[in-house]
């Protein structure tokens, strides 16, 4: 504004030496330039200018979906614009991740996972997106342990009450247990593959298009075992539909403190067993850095709110909130880590 008035005074002095019509035209052009500048600045600050899509690359009902729907209202409050959760399931999260990677509307972000941005690079021969180059990490929303669960009726019928019971039955009956997962390449799938490898057992893998539909078949008795994310499995565990045997994290979860880790329950053969999950927001790499940074700041603020933090902790999720730079480093480390797990377990895309 100050520069405009300086220009105005200069033009006013010039007008005295020219005809009135030309002077008026000079002022009009200068004023129009000022207006365009102000409008451009306002436009840059007004993001988002329309509803923002949070793409969940799995079906509704799973942990990715639960966390996206928990954070969306908080972002809506912060930005004054709708944040709409959209489920785009398929190919272990690759369908939704590719959609966001190639989006260019400036209003589409991803609720990514350890699968889409850690495991899949090693598991799939050719990904339709690059988990590093095609994305700008925003922040981790939550860290989540997985939990080994059985259909409760099946567990009772087979007299399986612990991980050792499970291993004993599985070894005596190879191929008779069906293992559900939320899709190829997810931490739910890899946790099961790692268990099979370290335990020397064989289970038939059935990948679904998300944790939600897999859990429905688990509760319905069509599937026997699953290494689900704790938040999505917890209601069915509490309701007695699923029998929890152990958590797959390196430490016990505060949400189910009496439940042992797989390593604790199974002994020396499972030393070092760990297959936890994380979920985080990512933008396509085309999104301006200022918008990514603001999304990170507002998400972190939301995760610090007592009501949000308590909600996540009650579901067995540990709130995140790291910086974009820290999240980027975390993704690099996860890609390296899971490449080793995929190789050691012999996991393959079915």
């Amino acid at each position: 504004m100050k520069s405009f008035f300086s220009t105005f005074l200069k033009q006013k002095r010039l007008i005295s030496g020219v005809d009135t019509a030309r002077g008026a035209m000079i002022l009009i052009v200068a004023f129009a330039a000022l207006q365009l500048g102000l409008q451009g600045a306002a436009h840059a600050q007004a993001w988002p200018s329309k509803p923002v899509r949070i793409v969940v690359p799995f079906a509704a009902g799973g942990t990715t979906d639960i966390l996206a729907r928990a954070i969306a209202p908080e972002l809506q409050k912060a930005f004054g614009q709708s944040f709409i959760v959209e489920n785009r399931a398929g190919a272990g999260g690759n369908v939704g991740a590719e959609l966001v990677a190639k989006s260019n509307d400036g209003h589409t972000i991803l609720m990514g996972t350890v699968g889409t941005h850690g495991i899949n690079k090693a598991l799939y021969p050719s990904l339709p997106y690059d988990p590093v180059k095609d994305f700008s990490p925003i922040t981790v929303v939550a860290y989540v342990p997985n939990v080994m669960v059985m259909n409760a009726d099946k567990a009772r019928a087979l007299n399986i009450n612990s991980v050792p019971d499970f291993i004993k039955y599985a070894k005596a009956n190879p191929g008779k247990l069906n293992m559900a997962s939320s899709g190829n390449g997810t931490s739910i799938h890899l946790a099961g593959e790692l268990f099979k490898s370290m335990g020397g057992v064989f289970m038939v893998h059935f990948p679904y298009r998300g944790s939600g539909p897999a859990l429905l078949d688990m509760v319905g008795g069509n599937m026997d075992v699953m290494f689900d994310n704790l938040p999505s499995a917890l209601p069915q565990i509490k309701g007695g539909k699923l029998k929890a045997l152990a958590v797959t994290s390196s430490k016990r979860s505060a949400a189910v403190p009496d439940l042992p880790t797989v390593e604790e329950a199974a002994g020396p053969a499972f030393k070092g067993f760990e297959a936890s999950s994380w979920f985080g927001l990512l933008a396509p790499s085309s999104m301006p850095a200022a918008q990514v940074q603001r999304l990170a700041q507002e998400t972190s603020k939301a995760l610090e709110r007592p009501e949000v933090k308590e909600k996540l902790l009650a579901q067995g999720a540990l709130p995140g909130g790291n910086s974009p730079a820290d999240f980027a480093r975390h993704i690099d480390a996860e890609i390296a880590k899971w490449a080793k797990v995929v190789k050691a377990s012999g996991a393959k895309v079915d």
Side-chain angles (χ1 to χ4, degrees):
M1 186 65 75
K2 183 178 179 180
S3 62
F4 168 72
F5 282 115
S6 298
T7 302
F8 176 82
L9 291 173
K10 290 178 182 178
Q11 299 302 334
K12 186 177 180 182
R13 285 194 291 271
L14 286 172
I15 290 171
S16 60
V18 297
D19 61 86
T20 304
R22 185 180 175 190
M25 182 60 69
I26 291 172
L27 289 180
I28 290 171
V29 170
F31 184 73
L34 171 68
Q35 289 294 99
L36 287 172
L38 291 175
Q39 287 173 9
H43 181 72
Q45 295 171 359
W47 188 92
S49 59
K50 63 180 182 179
V52 177
R53 289 190 298 170
I54 303 179
V55 174
V56 170
F58 299 100
T63 299
T64 319
D65 185 65
I66 291 170
L67 292 173
R69 295 182 190 280
I71 204 67
E74 303 302 321
L75 294 176
Q76 184 166 319
K77 292 176 194 173
F79 287 92
Q81 185 62 266
S82 297
F83 277 71
I84 302 167
V85 175
E86 182 177 314
N87 299 88
R88 289 296 187 95
N94 292 344
V95 171
E98 180 185 13
L99 184 155
V100 176
K102 296 179 178 178
S103 67
N104 57 10
D105 63 0
H107 288 73
T108 300
I109 58 178
L110 176 75
M111 179 60 85
T113 70
V114 64
T116 61
H117 284 75
I119 298 170
N120 288 2
K121 186 173 178 62
L123 190 65
Y124 286 82
S126 59
L127 282 180
Y129 62 92
D130 187 307
V132 175
K133 294 179 181 178
D134 291 343
F135 290 89
S136 293
I138 297 171
T139 188
V140 170
V141 172
Y143 301 92
V144 174
N146 289 6
V147 58
M148 182 181 181
V149 292
M150 284 192 72
N151 172 276
D153 292 335
K154 188 67 173 282
R156 279 191 292 270
L158 299 178
N159 197 29
I160 296 177
N161 296 298
S162 65
V163 175
D165 289 345
F166 182 93
I167 293 173
K168 181 180 178 180
Y169 178 86
K171 283 187 173 182
N173 299 274
K176 288 190 176 181
L177 290 173
N178 295 328
M179 182 184 81
S181 84
S182 55
N184 287 310
T186 61
S187 70
I188 295 170
H189 172 207
L190 262 291
E193 293 295 342
L194 189 59
F195 185 92
K196 287 162 64 176
S197 175
M198 295 180 76
V201 299
F202 173 62
M203 301 174 282
V204 182
H205 176 221
F206 287 85
Y208 286 74
R209 292 170 68 86
S211 181
L215 280 174
L216 286 176
D217 269 5
M218 279 289 295
V219 171
N222 297 318
M223 291 288 120
D224 303 317
V225 63
M226 186 174 175
F227 294 78
D228 193 29
N229 302 139
L230 185 55
S232 50
L234 197 55
Q236 301 298 345
I237 294 171
K238 291 181 176 180
K241 300 293 185 181
L242 296 178
K243 168 74 173 177
L245 299 179
V247 289
T248 67
S249 49
S250 59
K251 297 180 180 179
R252 294 194 181 200
S253 169
V256 282
D258 295 331
L259 203 60
T261 66
V262 169
E263 182 177 344
E264 282 182 302
F270 282 81
K271 182 174 177 58
F273 185 96
E274 198 275 331
S276 297
S277 302
W278 53 260
F279 304 81
L281 293 175
L282 300 105
S285 57
S286 58
M287 182 173 281
Q291 292 173 8
V292 171
Q293 191 63 43
R294 189 171 171 221
L295 274 166
Q297 291 171 349
E298 295 299 343
T299 304
S300 296
K301 287 179 187 176
L303 292 170
E304 283 297 320
R305 293 190 188 109
E307 64 273 20
V308 177
K309 185 179 290 187
E310 289 169 13
K311 184 177 181 180
L312 295 186
L313 290 173
Q315 296 182 64
L318 184 65
N322 55 357
S323 70
D326 285 341
F327 190 12
R329 284 189 286 271
H330 179 67
I331 288 172
D332 288 339
E334 287 290 277
I335 289 172
K337 167 191 168 180
W338 285 103
K340 295 177 183 177
V341 173
V342 169
K343 183 177 180 180
S345 69
K348 299 183 185 302
V349 177
D350 297 337

